[in-house]
Amino acid sequence: AITERLRGALAGYYVHTESNDFLGGERKRDLYRLSPSLVYQVGENSLLELGYTYSRRENRVTNDSEDRNRVFLSFSYALPIEK
């Protein structure tokens, strides 16, 4: 935690796939994704998250690639459960 109410989060993954399509063509793809974010606890049951996601898709057969950059803001609220 950065402070009592603020914390950082980091998520990511890598996926490699190889297959053949129904016409016998070869497919080889790689997908990378990295997503850092800051999460702020607004109240006892609510969170505010600001983050960024970078993803890259690479086609190893055609050497094509696609990059994506996204910024997001989300608000979450959980209904309190009586004890």
Side-chain angles (χ1 to χ4, degrees):
I2 299 169
T3 69
E4 187 175 312
R5 291 182 164 241
L6 182 67
R7 63 182 167 87
L10 179 64
Y13 63 83
Y14 166 76
V15 177
H16 174 79
T17 60
E18 292 186 23
S19 63
N20 293 316
D21 63 21
F22 67 94
L23 296 174
E26 186 178 38
R27 296 174 129 186
K28 292 182 182 181
R29 294 184 180 164
D30 292 323
L31 176 62
Y32 309 85
R33 184 172 181 177
L34 182 64
S35 186
S37 64
L38 291 173
V39 181
Y40 181 73
Q41 186 168 359
V42 178
E44 186 177 336
N45 300 317
S46 56
L47 299 173
L48 187 63
E49 182 178 13
L50 174 64
Y52 164 76
T53 300
Y54 169 77
S55 61
R56 179 174 180 86
R57 187 179 312 170
E58 297 178 353
N59 185 321
R60 297 293 183 183
V61 176
T62 63
N63 291 324
D64 289 336
S65 64
E66 175 184 308
D67 293 306
R68 277 192 177 165
N69 294 281
R70 296 179 180 174
V71 175
F72 62 89
L73 179 65
S74 69
F75 178 78
S76 303
Y77 181 79
L79 295 173
I81 299 173
E82 292 186 30
K83 297 176 184 177

